[in-house]
């Protein structure tokens, strides 16, 4: 009688878990608003939410073994299964919450040190960007003694339709925030529409930046200031981004606050190749921006979403600009190819704690003839729902 009761309870629990995974994943798939690949997204979300049920499956497995309900299942196979469940639960549920800080030092010949926090690959949507994730991220950023926050793009990964609502917690950041958009971000707001031609998202990412007081600097430049002595981070002196179209000589102008400017920050924006008209206009703007960078009076920091932006930068600049980018999968491949061709070299004194892992070898500081390149570690999750390394905020002290 007892064995029958345990068997019935186990079957009922297993059915309830499978129903939860299937139904909740379906609801979240609709929330992600996909116009295609609906089944693929549902399968990814099923894998994601299945991870949260691993403790229950492990308990059922242990009870089944104790009650001898699993037949001749060997002990080694049970232990391997339990280990796999534990590892999967850890990489999907626990690892994405283990946010850490990585500190780096970069020499750029500044007249005063500048500290910036770099965020890459946020991927807010299917897996990342839950309120608990963003709250922890914002709290960590606010506790930093940094002059600015730079975000390299790749904001989105199948976000909900209410984009502003999903990102609203970023309004609590107490430091100036600058960002560019990746090509995938641009696809969400320009290509990813319904069959009726209506926008997939209620708000575009650009409009969300306006609401969140985030400075979008695609193909624009701004001066990076020092913090005022004795003033807290939320009251730091900042200079607003100014477009070249309004003032083409921004990087050469002198003003009464010159003594507080230590570097120039420029956004290097790429666009999807399918948007031919925009891409042609973007190429013209890049050429103008490149000429402006070449004539800059201060050391230049370039914020870009792609590592191969290095090919478009002006050559033979002294000091060489610092290019800050993320570590998306395509970027890792480009870095590997560049290393193979010996066109870039990793700085030996800037190895991160990820250096021993294959995926970690694409992150850190590189030396190129045209620029120094810093590849940030990244925070969000895309593709399959698990993470093999901890989400990281890179804190750069630029001297």
């Amino acid at each position: 009688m007892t064995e029958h009761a345990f068997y019935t309870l186990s079957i009922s629990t297993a059915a309830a878990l499978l129903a939860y995974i299937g139904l909740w994943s379906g609801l979240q798939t609709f929330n992600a608003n996909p116009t295609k690949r609906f089944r693929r997204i549902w399968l990814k979300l099923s894998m994601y939410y299945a991870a949260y049920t691993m403790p229950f499956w492990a308990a059922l497995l242990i009870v089944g073994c104790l009650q001898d309900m699993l037949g001749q299942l060997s002990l080694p196979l049970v232990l391997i299964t339990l280990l796999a469940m534990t590892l999967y639960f850890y990489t999907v549920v626990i690892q994405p919450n283990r946010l850490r800080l990585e500190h780096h030092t970069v020499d750029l010949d500044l007249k005063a040190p500048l500290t910036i926090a770099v965020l890459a690959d946020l991927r807010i949507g299917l897996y990342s960007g839950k309120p608990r994730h963003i709250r922890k991220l914002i709290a960590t950023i606010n506790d930093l003694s940094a002059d600015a926050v730079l975000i390299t793009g790749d904001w989105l990964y199948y976000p909900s339709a209410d984009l502003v609502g999903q990102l609203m917690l970023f309004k609590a950041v107490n430091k100036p925030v600058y960002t560019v958009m990746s090509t995938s971000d641009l696809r969400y707001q320009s290509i990813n529409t319904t069959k009726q031609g209506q926008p997939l998202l209620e708000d575009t990412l650009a409009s969300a930046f306006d609401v969140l007081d985030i400075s979008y600097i695609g193909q624009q430049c701004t001066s990076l200031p020092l913090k005022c002595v004795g003033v807290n981070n939320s009251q730091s002196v900042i200079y607003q981004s100014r477009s070249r179209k309004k003032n083409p000589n921004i990087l050469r102008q002198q003003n009464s606050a010159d003594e507080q400017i230590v570097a120039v920050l420029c956004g290097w924006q790429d666009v999807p190749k399918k948007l031919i008209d925009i891409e042609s206009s973007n190429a013209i703007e890049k050429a103008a921006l490149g000429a402006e960078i070449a004539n800059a009076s201060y050391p230049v920091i370039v914020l870009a979403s792609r590592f191969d932006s290095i090919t478009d930068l002006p050559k033979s600049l002294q000091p060489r600009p610092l290019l800050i980018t993320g570590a998306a999968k395509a970027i890792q491949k480009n870095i590997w190819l560049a290393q193979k061709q010996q066109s870039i070299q990793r700085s030996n004194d800037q190895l991160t704690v990820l250096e021993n892992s294959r995926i970690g070898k694409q992150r850190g500081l590189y030396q190129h003839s045209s620029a120094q390149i810093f590849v940030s570690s990244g925070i969000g999750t895309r593709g399959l729902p698990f993470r093999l390394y901890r989400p990281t905020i890179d804190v750069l002290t630029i001297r």
Side-chain angles (χ1 to χ4, degrees), residues 29 38 55 89 116 149 153 162 168 179 185 221 229 254 264-265 272 288 355 361-362:
T29 302
F38 186 93
F89 178 81
I116 56 176
V149 178
D162 182 16
M168 186 55 70
T179 188
D185 292 333
C221 294
V229 178
Q254 303 294 319
V264 170
L265 174 67
E355 177 62 16
K361 291 183 179 180
Q362 278 74 42

Side-chain angles (χ1 to χ4, degrees), residues 90 93-102 118-120 122 132-144 377-380 387 389-394:
Y90 179 83
V93 179
I94 298 177
Q95 186 80 309
N97 291 296
R98 299 180 64 231
L99 186 66
R100 70 174 175 188
L101 298 174
E102 278 285 323
V118 180
L119 309 182
L122 294 176
R132 66 180 184 276
H133 297 152
I134 298 179
R135 288 191 187 97
K136 184 172 184 178
L137 178 64
I138 300 306
T140 304
I141 293 172
N142 288 345
D143 288 341
L144 289 174
S377 300
I379 292 175
R387 289 187 64 91
Y389 57 95
R390 293 172 63 180
T392 304
I393 299 175
D394 290 293

Side-chain angles (χ1 to χ4, degrees), residues 88-159:
Y88 190 60
F89 178 81
Y90 179 83
T91 56
V92 176
V93 179
I94 298 177
Q95 186 80 309
N97 291 296
R98 299 180 64 231
L99 186 66
R100 70 174 175 188
L101 298 174
E102 278 285 323
H103 293 270
H104 311 264
T105 302
V106 181
D107 290 320
L108 196 61
D109 196 23
L110 302 186
K111 62 183 181 182
L114 185 69
T115 302
I116 56 176
V118 180
L119 309 182
D121 304 323
L122 294 176
R123 303 293 183 180
I124 292 173
L126 287 190
Y127 316 126
S128 309
K130 308 300 186 211
R132 66 180 184 276
H133 297 152
I134 298 179
R135 288 191 187 97
K136 184 172 184 178
L137 178 64
I138 300 306
T140 304
I141 293 172
N142 288 345
D143 288 341
L144 289 174
S145 178
D147 299 284
V149 178
L150 306 185
I151 302 178
T152 66
D154 286 313
W155 279 81
L156 308 176
Y157 185 62
Y158 294 103

Side-chain angles (χ1 to χ4, degrees), residues 160-204:
S160 65
D162 182 16
L163 190 59
V164 172
Q166 195 168 10
L167 299 177
M168 186 55 70
L169 289 172
F170 279 93
K171 198 172 180 65
V173 177
N174 63 3
K175 299 170 178 62
V177 181
Y178 303 94
T179 188
V180 292
M181 285 191 277
S182 66
T183 54
S184 61
D185 292 333
L186 292 172
R187 287 192 188 101
Y188 275 109
Q189 64 179 25
S190 59
I191 295 178
N192 213 0
T193 57
T194 65
K195 293 180 179 180
Q196 293 74 30
Q198 298 299 316
L200 183 65
L201 302 176
E202 293 178 5
D203 303 287
T204 65

Side-chain angles (χ1 to χ4, degrees), residues 205-219:
L205 191 56
S207 65
F209 292 155
D210 292 337
V211 174
L212 301 174
D213 297 327
I214 294 175
S215 299
Y216 170 64
I217 57 169
Q219 309 302 57

Side-chain angles (χ1 to χ4, degrees), residues 224-245:
L224 284 180
L226 296 172
K227 289 180 295 189
C228 292
V229 178
V231 179
N232 60 32
N233 289 335
S234 62
Q235 295 174 313
S236 297
V237 173
I238 65 171
Y239 297 86
Q240 281 194 325
S241 299
R242 291 160 287 183
S243 172
R244 293 187 332 277
K245 294 180 180 179

Side-chain angles (χ1 to χ4, degrees), residues 252-362:
R252 288 172 287 174
Q253 282 191 337
Q254 303 294 319
N255 57 54
S256 59
D258 257 0
E259 64 275 9
Q260 291 185 339
I261 300 175
V262 295
V264 170
L265 174 67
C266 296
W268 202 263
Q269 183 63 63
D270 291 292
V271 299
K273 293 183 178 179
K274 292 182 179 180
L275 300 179
I276 299 175
D277 295 338
I278 298 178
E279 187 177 14
S280 300
S281 174
N282 192 55
I284 297 174
E285 291 186 354
K286 277 186 177 181
L289 182 60
E292 195 171 348
I293 291 174
N295 294 320
S297 302
Y298 299 94
V300 177
I301 299 171
V302 180
L303 182 63
S305 63
R306 297 173 60 87
F307 158 81
D308 49 13
S309 299
I310 187 68
T311 59
D312 297 321
L313 289 177
K315 306 298 188 294
S316 304
L317 295 184
Q318 292 298 330
R320 289 174 299 156
L322 171 63
L323 174 65
I324 297 176
T325 184
K329 184 177 180 180
I331 294 174
Q332 295 174 26
K333 181 180 178 181
N334 291 337
I335 292 176
W336 180 80
L337 290 174
Q339 285 181 305
K340 188 175 181 180
Q341 297 168 1
Q342 297 183 344
S343 59
I344 65 172
Q345 181 179 3
R346 190 178 179 90
S347 295
N348 293 328
D349 58 343
Q350 293 292 333
L351 302 183
T352 69
V353 295
L354 298 172
E355 177 62 16
N356 291 328
S357 66
R358 181 179 179 183
I359 197 167
K361 291 183 179 180
Q362 278 74 42

Side-chain angles (χ1 to χ4, degrees), residues 17-56:
L17 292 175
L18 291 174
Y20 159 75
I21 294 171
L23 293 176
W24 188 246
S25 300
L27 289 173
Q28 293 303 313
T29 302
F30 282 109
N31 187 48
N33 290 294
T35 55
K36 55 184 179 179
R37 299 179 179 177
F38 186 93
R39 184 180 300 177
R40 181 183 298 184
I41 295 172
W42 177 77
L43 288 174
K44 289 181 177 181
L45 284 172
S46 296
M47 294 176 62
Y48 176 69
Y49 288 109
Y52 287 85
T53 67
M54 286 298 110
F56 299 98

